[in-house]
């Protein structure tokens, strides 16, 4: 037969309040430690994603001239046969990696995603507009890998739709 367990003298005694305070303090410490660890794990995961995205962007940046050449060959009707299949396969693979093409004629000019190479005034637009895309832009997610290179048209300065004109009465 085993001897009965003895009850510590602090349970139910005068030190009971001190034990509860120590327990509450240790519990709070444990909760803080768990929260710090959870935040650490989230930060490390976020950093890993950022490094992965930068690595993908670095690799894709080197392939942009190849995509430009494929686009020019397509525009001139020289993208035929086996080369066409390889080009389409390359483009599909790059799309799976998150590379997106952007920039079409008629887009509103945004200096954050467009690089203006040419400029003209036009009565046909009411605000700065891309009237010709000279080279498409590329992005991965929201990050611009290369801005679209465009020709921009603005409203004529003295025209009815253009900027600051004053009428004298």
């Amino acid at each position: 037969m085993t001897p009965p367990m003895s009850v510590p003298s602090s349970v139910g005694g005068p030190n009971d309040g001190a034990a509860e305070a120590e327990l509450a303090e240790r519990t709070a410490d444990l909760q803080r430690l768990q929260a710090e660890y959870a935040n650490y794990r989230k930060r490390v995961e976020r950093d890993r994603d950022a490094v992965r995205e930068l690595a993908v962007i670095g690799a894709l940046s080197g392939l942009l001239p190849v995509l430009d050449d494929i686009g020019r060959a397509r525009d001139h009707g020289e993208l035929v046969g086996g080369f066409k299949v390889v080009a389409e396969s390359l483009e599909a693979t790059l799309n799976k990696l998150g590379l997106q093409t952007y920039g079409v004629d008629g887009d509103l000019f945004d200096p954050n995603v467009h690089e203006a190479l040419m400029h003209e005034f036009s009565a046909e637009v009411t605000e700065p507009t891309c009237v010709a895309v000279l080279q498409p832009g590329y992005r991965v997610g929201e990050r611009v890998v290369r801005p679209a290179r465009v020709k921009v048209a603005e409203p004529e300065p003295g025209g009815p739709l253009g900027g600051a004109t004053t009428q004298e009465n």
Side-chain angles (χ1 to χ4, degrees), residues 140-159:
V140 174
E142 293 300 313
R143 187 175 293 217
V144 174
V145 178
R146 181 181 76 192
R149 294 176 176 145
V150 297
K151 177 180 180 182
V152 178
E154 285 188 290
E156 293 188 16

Side-chain angles (χ1 to χ4, degrees), residues 26-107:
R26 301 283 165 103
T27 302
D29 288 345
L30 181 60
Q31 289 172 340
R32 276 192 296 276
L33 189 59
Q34 285 178 324
E36 286 177 19
Y37 182 67
N39 289 336
Y40 167 76
R41 281 191 0 244
K42 290 176 188 174
R43 187 174 52 250
V44 166
E45 187 63 32
R46 204 172 38 243
D47 291 348
R48 277 188 196 137
D49 290 343
V51 167
R52 179 190 174 280
E53 184 176 279
L54 287 175
V56 168
I57 288 172
L60 295 177
S61 294
L63 294 172
L64 296 184
V66 175
L67 291 176
D68 292 337
D69 291 341
I70 290 171
R72 283 190 287 274
R74 183 178 287 121
D75 291 344
H76 294 290
E78 297 175 7
L79 193 61
V80 294
F83 184 62
K84 179 178 181 180
V85 174
V86 171
E88 290 171 351
S89 176
L90 175 65
E91 290 171 337
T93 301
L94 295 178
N95 285 336
K96 287 179 187 175
L97 290 173
L99 186 68
Q100 302 167 341
T101 303
Y102 71 91
V104 295
D105 294 352
D107 283 350

Side-chain angles (χ1 to χ4, degrees), residues 11-27:
V11 175
N15 292 333
D16 194 27
E20 286 182 17
E22 187 175 337
L23 177 63
E25 181 182 339
R26 301 283 165 103
T27 302

Side-chain angles (χ1 to χ4, degrees), residues 100-119:
Q100 302 167 341
T101 303
Y102 71 91
V104 295
D105 294 352
D107 283 350
L108 294 179
F109 177 72
D110 179 357
N112 296 315
V113 296
H114 296 110
E115 180 179 346
L117 297 181
M118 300 170 70
H119 178 267

